[in-house]
Amino acid sequence: MAGGRKFMTKSGIEIAKFLDKRESFASAQEIFLGLRAEGRNFGLATIYRALQSLTSTGEVDVLRRSDGEALYRKCGEDHHHHLICKGCGKTIEIEGVSVEEWAHTIAERHGFREIQHSAEIFGICPDCFTQAEPKRR
Amino acid sequence: MAGGRKFMTKSGIEIAKFLDKRESFASAQEIFLGLRAEGRNFGLATIYRALQSLTSTGEVDVLRRSDGEALYRKCGEDHHHHLICKGCGKTIEIEGVSVEEWAHTIAERHGFREIQHSAEIFGICPDCFTQAEPKRR
DNA sequence: AGCCATAGTGAGAATGATTATCAAAGTCAT
DNA sequence: ATGACTTTGATAATCATTCTCACTATGGCT
Ligand SMILES: [Mn+2]
Ligand SMILES: [Mn+2]
Ligand SMILES: [Zn+2]
Ligand SMILES: [Zn+2]
């Protein structure tokens, strides 16, 4: 299901590596600044291009922040959902057999085909709950 | 859970009525043009303001299109999810006891508090599947 | 009716993420 | 090295959303 691995440019590989080191979702702008902070300057266009390529193959997951900005994360190969801390952004990959069944059952009941679904959980992680200050954004 | 009904301006009521007549999600821009087509001109600022108020009370649901644009819909009072046709936009409100349980279980297992969740299903409705041409966008 | 305080409106400017341009720089087989 | 092709990135263009702020509508009061 993880689309045929696509060719990746030199920059694309760097950007994928950068995402690999992050545990949380990051926006294109954050990636841009994060790489720059490491001394490696890429153009924004290059970053957006790489991100487009990476998401099209499923190598990178994307979701939308409440303000509409797109967030990217390098994830596991297989289908999964996310548990995300609203405080620090910590992200845990989760499975959801019951969700898969639910989506399938509902869709079938209404005669829908070519089904997709989204399901994410947001909350405050234990660290952020005890600490006054969340670690990061 | 449906927040204390908030005061609504005259324009806000009109905009809520407009959404009431629609079965699908609509963007702010579509609402703007739709109202204009009915001869009633509202400023975009007014529409965005009303939408903000309506979503804050939970009277109107909001979700993000894949391109990031926000979509709004007048929905039922109680908590629910959506089954949305990718062809015509037809939207069906669905319940998901199993999803509620899943979210709760996962969150508890990882010690997360203040839980929220999102879960939507997308597909092609029977009408759009048989017809060559989807009705609307 | 006339006056005044306050809330609501909307044209237009500002913001900010994303995309489009396109010329310059890199790659690579011959 | 030459030429064909790909990649890059500074910059401009888009476009949804928010911000400004002068103007209008409303409602209480005399
Ligand atoms: Mn799933
Ligand atoms: Mn639910
Ligand atoms: Zn946290
Ligand atoms: Zn349909």
Side-chain angles (χ1 to χ4, degrees), chain A residues 9 11 41 43 45-46 49:
Chain A
T9 92
S11 300
N41 296 45
T46 304
R49 260 189 306 251

mmCIF file of all heavy atoms in Angstrom, chain A residues 9 11 41 43 45-46 49, chain D residues 6-11 17:
data_model
loop_
_atom_site.group_PDB
_atom_site.id
_atom_site.type_symbol
_atom_site.label_atom_id
_atom_site.label_comp_id
_atom_site.label_asym_id
_atom_site.label_seq_id
_atom_site.Cartn_x
_atom_site.Cartn_y
_atom_site.Cartn_z
ATOM 1 N N THR A 9 15.479 13.264 -5.158
ATOM 2 C CA THR A 9 16.634 14.113 -5.444
ATOM 3 C C THR A 9 17.533 14.199 -4.222
ATOM 4 O O THR A 9 17.147 13.827 -3.128
ATOM 5 C CB THR A 9 16.189 15.537 -5.824
ATOM 6 O OG1 THR A 9 16.152 16.321 -4.637
ATOM 7 C CG2 THR A 9 14.807 15.500 -6.434
ATOM 8 N N SER A 11 18.470 16.800 -2.548
ATOM 9 C CA SER A 11 17.829 17.623 -1.510
ATOM 10 C C SER A 11 16.708 16.864 -0.826
ATOM 11 O O SER A 11 16.555 16.932 0.399
ATOM 12 C CB SER A 11 17.263 18.895 -2.133
ATOM 13 O OG SER A 11 18.281 19.649 -2.727
ATOM 14 N N ASN A 41 21.296 25.365 3.950
ATOM 15 C CA ASN A 41 20.258 26.215 3.397
ATOM 16 C C ASN A 41 19.636 25.611 2.140
ATOM 17 O O ASN A 41 20.315 25.352 1.155
ATOM 18 C CB ASN A 41 20.835 27.595 3.061
ATOM 19 C CG ASN A 41 21.299 28.321 4.310
ATOM 20 O OD1 ASN A 41 21.961 27.733 5.171
ATOM 21 N ND2 ASN A 41 20.951 29.581 4.421
ATOM 22 N N GLY A 43 16.226 26.163 -0.537
ATOM 23 C CA GLY A 43 15.166 27.092 -0.903
ATOM 24 C C GLY A 43 13.830 26.532 -0.465
ATOM 25 O O GLY A 43 13.633 25.320 -0.413
ATOM 26 N N ALA A 45 11.137 26.549 -2.095
ATOM 27 C CA ALA A 45 10.558 25.814 -3.220
ATOM 28 C C ALA A 45 11.039 24.372 -3.204
ATOM 29 O O ALA A 45 10.259 23.443 -3.425
ATOM 30 C CB ALA A 45 10.928 26.485 -4.531
ATOM 31 N N THR A 46 12.306 24.193 -2.934
ATOM 32 C CA THR A 46 12.868 22.846 -2.891
ATOM 33 C C THR A 46 12.222 22.015 -1.792
ATOM 34 O O THR A 46 11.908 20.836 -1.985
ATOM 35 C CB THR A 46 14.388 22.915 -2.661
ATOM 36 O OG1 THR A 46 14.969 23.715 -3.685
ATOM 37 C CG2 THR A 46 15.004 21.533 -2.698
ATOM 38 N N ARG A 49 8.726 21.082 -2.758
ATOM 39 C CA ARG A 49 8.776 20.054 -3.800
ATOM 40 C C ARG A 49 9.062 18.688 -3.197
ATOM 41 O O ARG A 49 8.389 17.696 -3.492
ATOM 42 C CB ARG A 49 9.841 20.414 -4.843
ATOM 43 C CG ARG A 49 9.272 21.047 -6.092
ATOM 44 C CD ARG A 49 10.348 21.177 -7.162
ATOM 45 N NE ARG A 49 11.532 21.891 -6.674
ATOM 46 C CZ ARG A 49 11.871 23.114 -7.064
ATOM 47 N NH1 ARG A 49 11.135 23.755 -7.941
ATOM 48 N NH2 ARG A 49 12.956 23.687 -6.606
ATOM 49 P P DT D 6 14.551 15.379 -17.986
ATOM 50 O OP1 DT D 6 13.749 14.159 -17.805
ATOM 51 O OP2 DT D 6 13.940 16.620 -18.528
ATOM 52 O "O5'" DT D 6 15.259 15.744 -16.609
ATOM 53 C "C5'" DT D 6 16.245 14.875 -16.067
ATOM 54 C "C4'" DT D 6 16.851 15.485 -14.817
ATOM 55 O "O4'" DT D 6 17.602 16.677 -15.164
ATOM 56 C "C3'" DT D 6 15.826 15.896 -13.764
ATOM 57 O "O3'" DT D 6 16.269 15.401 -12.503
ATOM 58 C "C2'" DT D 6 15.837 17.422 -13.829
ATOM 59 C "C1'" DT D 6 17.270 17.708 -14.265
ATOM 60 N N1 DT D 6 17.488 18.992 -14.973
ATOM 61 C C2 DT D 6 18.395 19.897 -14.455
ATOM 62 O O2 DT D 6 19.018 19.700 -13.432
ATOM 63 N N3 DT D 6 18.548 21.049 -15.184
ATOM 64 C C4 DT D 6 17.903 21.377 -16.352
ATOM 65 O O4 DT D 6 18.143 22.442 -16.917
ATOM 66 C C5 DT D 6 16.966 20.400 -16.850
ATOM 67 C C7 DT D 6 16.206 20.668 -18.109
ATOM 68 C C6 DT D 6 16.790 19.265 -16.145
ATOM 69 P P DT D 7 15.346 15.593 -11.184
ATOM 70 O OP1 DT D 7 15.545 14.409 -10.323
ATOM 71 O OP2 DT D 7 13.986 15.990 -11.609
ATOM 72 O "O5'" DT D 7 16.048 16.839 -10.476
ATOM 73 C "C5'" DT D 7 17.449 16.768 -10.223
ATOM 74 C "C4'" DT D 7 17.921 18.060 -9.573
ATOM 75 O "O4'" DT D 7 17.998 19.111 -10.566
ATOM 76 C "C3'" DT D 7 17.026 18.580 -8.458
ATOM 77 O "O3'" DT D 7 17.862 18.849 -7.343
ATOM 78 C "C2'" DT D 7 16.392 19.838 -9.040
ATOM 79 C "C1'" DT D 7 17.455 20.306 -10.015
ATOM 80 N N1 DT D 7 16.998 21.140 -11.168
ATOM 81 C C2 DT D 7 17.648 22.319 -11.435
ATOM 82 O O2 DT D 7 18.580 22.741 -10.764
ATOM 83 N N3 DT D 7 17.179 23.007 -12.530
ATOM 84 C C4 DT D 7 16.144 22.618 -13.365
ATOM 85 O O4 DT D 7 15.825 23.323 -14.328
ATOM 86 C C5 DT D 7 15.500 21.380 -13.024
ATOM 87 C C7 DT D 7 14.363 20.879 -13.859
ATOM 88 C C6 DT D 7 15.954 20.714 -11.956
ATOM 89 P P DT D 8 17.235 19.327 -5.953
ATOM 90 O OP1 DT D 8 18.026 18.734 -4.858
ATOM 91 O OP2 DT D 8 15.782 19.149 -5.999
ATOM 92 O "O5'" DT D 8 17.555 20.883 -6.008
ATOM 93 C "C5'" DT D 8 18.892 21.298 -6.228
ATOM 94 C "C4'" DT D 8 18.953 22.803 -6.402
ATOM 95 O "O4'" DT D 8 18.359 23.182 -7.660
ATOM 96 C "C3'" DT D 8 18.211 23.588 -5.322
ATOM 97 O "O3'" DT D 8 19.114 24.472 -4.690
ATOM 98 C "C2'" DT D 8 17.109 24.340 -6.087
ATOM 99 C "C1'" DT D 8 17.678 24.405 -7.493
ATOM 100 N N1 DT D 8 16.682 24.473 -8.592
ATOM 101 C C2 DT D 8 16.756 25.475 -9.522
ATOM 102 O O2 DT D 8 17.603 26.346 -9.493
ATOM 103 N N3 DT D 8 15.810 25.437 -10.511
ATOM 104 C C4 DT D 8 14.800 24.500 -10.653
ATOM 105 O O4 DT D 8 13.997 24.554 -11.588
ATOM 106 C C5 DT D 8 14.760 23.471 -9.649
ATOM 107 C C7 DT D 8 13.716 22.405 -9.690
ATOM 108 C C6 DT D 8 15.695 23.501 -8.679
ATOM 109 P P DG D 9 18.765 24.999 -3.190
ATOM 110 O OP1 DG D 9 20.031 25.080 -2.415
ATOM 111 O OP2 DG D 9 17.620 24.255 -2.665
ATOM 112 O "O5'" DG D 9 18.303 26.486 -3.519
ATOM 113 C "C5'" DG D 9 19.152 27.328 -4.286
ATOM 114 C "C4'" DG D 9 18.427 28.605 -4.629
ATOM 115 O "O4'" DG D 9 17.524 28.361 -5.741
ATOM 116 C "C3'" DG D 9 17.544 29.131 -3.496
ATOM 117 O "O3'" DG D 9 17.536 30.546 -3.553
ATOM 118 C "C2'" DG D 9 16.163 28.599 -3.866
ATOM 119 C "C1'" DG D 9 16.219 28.759 -5.372
ATOM 120 N N9 DG D 9 15.281 27.944 -6.112
ATOM 121 C C8 DG D 9 14.660 26.789 -5.713
ATOM 122 N N7 DG D 9 13.862 26.285 -6.610
ATOM 123 C C5 DG D 9 13.970 27.166 -7.679
ATOM 124 C C6 DG D 9 13.347 27.146 -8.952
ATOM 125 O O6 DG D 9 12.560 26.309 -9.403
ATOM 126 N N1 DG D 9 13.736 28.218 -9.741
ATOM 127 C C2 DG D 9 14.610 29.205 -9.350
ATOM 128 N N2 DG D 9 14.861 30.161 -10.230
ATOM 129 N N3 DG D 9 15.199 29.234 -8.167
ATOM 130 C C4 DG D 9 14.831 28.186 -7.385
ATOM 131 P P DA D 10 17.860 31.325 -2.233
ATOM 132 O OP1 DA D 10 19.275 31.142 -1.867
ATOM 133 O OP2 DA D 10 16.804 31.051 -1.252
ATOM 134 O "O5'" DA D 10 17.659 32.820 -2.796
ATOM 135 C "C5'" DA D 10 18.460 33.267 -3.867
ATOM 136 C "C4'" DA D 10 17.647 34.117 -4.813
ATOM 137 O "O4'" DA D 10 16.754 33.276 -5.581
ATOM 138 C "C3'" DA D 10 16.769 35.168 -4.125
ATOM 139 O "O3'" DA D 10 16.943 36.414 -4.781
ATOM 140 C "C2'" DA D 10 15.355 34.613 -4.250
ATOM 141 C "C1'" DA D 10 15.434 33.782 -5.526
ATOM 142 N N9 DA D 10 14.541 32.628 -5.532
ATOM 143 C C8 DA D 10 14.373 31.711 -4.532
ATOM 144 N N7 DA D 10 13.527 30.751 -4.819
ATOM 145 C C5 DA D 10 13.110 31.049 -6.115
ATOM 146 C C6 DA D 10 12.218 30.409 -6.979
ATOM 147 N N6 DA D 10 11.569 29.285 -6.679
ATOM 148 N N1 DA D 10 12.014 30.970 -8.194
ATOM 149 C C2 DA D 10 12.677 32.096 -8.500
ATOM 150 N N3 DA D 10 13.550 32.790 -7.764
ATOM 151 C C4 DA D 10 13.724 32.204 -6.558
ATOM 152 P P DT D 11 16.216 37.690 -4.216
ATOM 153 O OP1 DT D 11 17.000 38.845 -4.672
ATOM 154 O OP2 DT D 11 15.929 37.483 -2.777
ATOM 155 O "O5'" DT D 11 14.818 37.692 -4.987
ATOM 156 C "C5'" DT D 11 14.798 37.623 -6.410
ATOM 157 C "C4'" DT D 11 13.393 37.398 -6.899
ATOM 158 O "O4'" DT D 11 12.977 36.027 -6.652
ATOM 159 C "C3'" DT D 11 12.324 38.271 -6.223
ATOM 160 O "O3'" DT D 11 11.826 39.193 -7.169
ATOM 161 C "C2'" DT D 11 11.269 37.284 -5.739
ATOM 162 C "C1'" DT D 11 11.581 36.037 -6.541
ATOM 163 N N1 DT D 11 11.153 34.761 -5.925
ATOM 164 C C2 DT D 11 10.318 33.950 -6.648
ATOM 165 O O2 DT D 11 9.922 34.215 -7.764
ATOM 166 N N3 DT D 11 9.965 32.792 -6.010
ATOM 167 C C4 DT D 11 10.363 32.378 -4.741
ATOM 168 O O4 DT D 11 9.980 31.312 -4.290
ATOM 169 C C5 DT D 11 11.228 33.287 -4.051
ATOM 170 C C7 DT D 11 11.718 32.940 -2.672
ATOM 171 C C6 DT D 11 11.585 34.422 -4.659
ATOM 172 P P DT D 17 -10.308 30.052 4.245
ATOM 173 O OP1 DT D 17 -10.267 28.799 4.985
ATOM 174 O OP2 DT D 17 -11.566 30.504 3.636
ATOM 175 O "O5'" DT D 17 -9.750 31.197 5.190
ATOM 176 C "C5'" DT D 17 -8.496 31.004 5.833
ATOM 177 C "C4'" DT D 17 -8.032 32.288 6.484
ATOM 178 O "O4'" DT D 17 -7.719 33.264 5.471
ATOM 179 C "C3'" DT D 17 -9.051 32.953 7.404
ATOM 180 O "O3'" DT D 17 -8.523 32.937 8.720
ATOM 181 C "C2'" DT D 17 -9.200 34.370 6.859
ATOM 182 C "C1'" DT D 17 -7.940 34.537 6.031
ATOM 183 N N1 DT D 17 -8.011 35.506 4.908
ATOM 184 C C2 DT D 17 -7.122 36.554 4.893
ATOM 185 O O2 DT D 17 -6.274 36.728 5.758
ATOM 186 N N3 DT D 17 -7.239 37.400 3.810
ATOM 187 C C4 DT D 17 -8.145 37.306 2.778
ATOM 188 O O4 DT D 17 -8.148 38.128 1.865
ATOM 189 C C5 DT D 17 -9.055 36.188 2.853
ATOM 190 C C7 DT D 17 -10.084 35.988 1.776
ATOM 191 C C6 DT D 17 -8.940 35.366 3.894
#
